[in-house]
């Protein structure tokens, strides 16, 4: 659920913990703990905060984008990776976060998830890549051309996208779709509350989510003339 300053003040009370301090404590707890379950809980919590644009100003100074990218790079836990990539998806409409993801070499990490056995992580990775290269969404077009579009030359990425866009007939069709909303990126006035486990749905309708998102991403690359002929 998106918050307003009045809502935050009512929830925190006059002497409640300031939002920035609470987020700083979450980041500190993640950095200091070694327990996997605790790390998963903290990243999921940060992902929930990443859903609300009002929190971006608190999250940027804490380098949470780099924290989530480190998880993708270092963790062998499918669940921890799922929460981290979902959080990146939540942040990837923010221009500053877009730049950080691209300039921190996040695109190859996201591309690596295109072969993930975890469908939720795969959908979030596809959606994040879409946000980073869609001409209608990405704010810094030159940044995309310089850092992002060359990802299509990474081994097997485009063939894998094409396979994902054309799943076999037995592919699951019952997963909640996050694809439809990315065709219409404007956030509705009353968005559903984020769970921190998947990318925001934005008026999603049931369909083959993975194939739909892969198709959209291929269309984005075609607009950049980034597909091999």
């Amino acid at each position: 659920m998106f918050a307003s300053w009045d809502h935050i003040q009512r929830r925190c009370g006059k002497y409640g913990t300031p939002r920035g301090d609470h987020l700083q404590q979450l980041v500190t707890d993640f950095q200091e703990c070694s327990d996997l379950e605790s790390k998963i809980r903290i990243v999921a919590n940060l992902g929930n905060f990443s859903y609300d644009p009002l929190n971006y100003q608190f999250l940027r100074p804490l380098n949470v984008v780099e924290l989530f990218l480190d998880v993708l790079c270092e963790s062998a836990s499918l669940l921890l990776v799922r929460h981290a990539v979902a959080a990146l998806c939540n942040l990837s409409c923010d221009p500053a976060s877009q730049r950080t993801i691209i300039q921190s070499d996040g695109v190859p990490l996201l591309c690596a998830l295109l072969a993930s056995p975890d469908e939720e992580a795969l959908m979030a990775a596809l959606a994040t890549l879409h946000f980073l290269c869609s001409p209608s969404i990405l704010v810094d077009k030159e940044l995309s051309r310089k850092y992002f579009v060359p990802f299509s030359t990474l081994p097997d990425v485009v063939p894998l996208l094409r396979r994902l866009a054309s799943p076999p007939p037995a592919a699951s069709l019952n997963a909640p779709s996050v694809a439809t909303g990315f065709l219409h990126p404007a956030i509705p006035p009353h968005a559903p509350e984020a769970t921190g486990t998947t990318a925001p749905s934005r008026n999603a309708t049931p369909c083959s989510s993975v194939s739909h998102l892969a198709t959209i991403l291929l269309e984005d690359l075609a607009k950049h003339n980034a597909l091999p002929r």
Side-chain angles (χ1 to χ4, degrees), residues 39-198:
K39 285 181 175 289
I40 291 171
R41 187 186 68 253
I42 293 168
V43 170
N45 203 345
L46 287 170
N48 281 334
F49 282 106
S50 301
Y51 184 76
D52 191 339
L54 190 64
N55 293 321
Y56 292 168
Q57 61 183 304
F58 302 112
L59 292 167
R60 290 184 194 116
L62 301 177
N63 299 320
V64 295
V65 169
E66 290 89 339
L67 184 153
F68 298 140
L69 291 175
D70 285 345
V71 169
L72 301 191
C73 184
E74 300 171 3
S75 179
S77 166
L78 288 177
L79 187 55
L80 183 56
V81 168
R82 179 195 301 174
H83 285 293
V85 70
L88 287 171
C89 186
N90 288 340
L91 289 168
S92 59
C93 278
D94 170 45
S97 297
Q98 290 173 347
R99 295 185 188 97
T100 301
I101 293 171
I102 293 172
Q103 292 175 331
S104 299
D105 295 325
V107 170
L109 296 175
L110 292 164
C111 289
L113 290 176
L114 298 180
S116 173
D118 185 337
E119 187 173 281
E120 291 189 43
L122 171 57
M123 289 192 295
L126 283 166
T128 306
L129 289 168
H130 164 63
F131 281 131
L132 294 177
C133 81
S134 172
S136 63
I137 298 174
L138 186 73
V139 174
D140 193 335
K141 306 296 189 299
E142 183 60 34
L143 186 70
S144 178
R145 285 191 289 269
K146 183 177 180 180
Y147 289 94
F148 181 84
V149 171
F151 104 89
S152 62
T153 64
L154 295 173
D156 300 326
V157 168
V158 171
L160 179 54
L161 281 173
R162 286 174 171 155
R163 288 197 297 272
L164 291 172
S166 303
S172 171
L173 296 178
N174 58 6
S177 171
V178 297
T180 303
F182 298 113
L183 295 174
H184 307 283
I187 298 170
H190 303 289
E193 185 168 359
T195 63
T197 58
T198 62

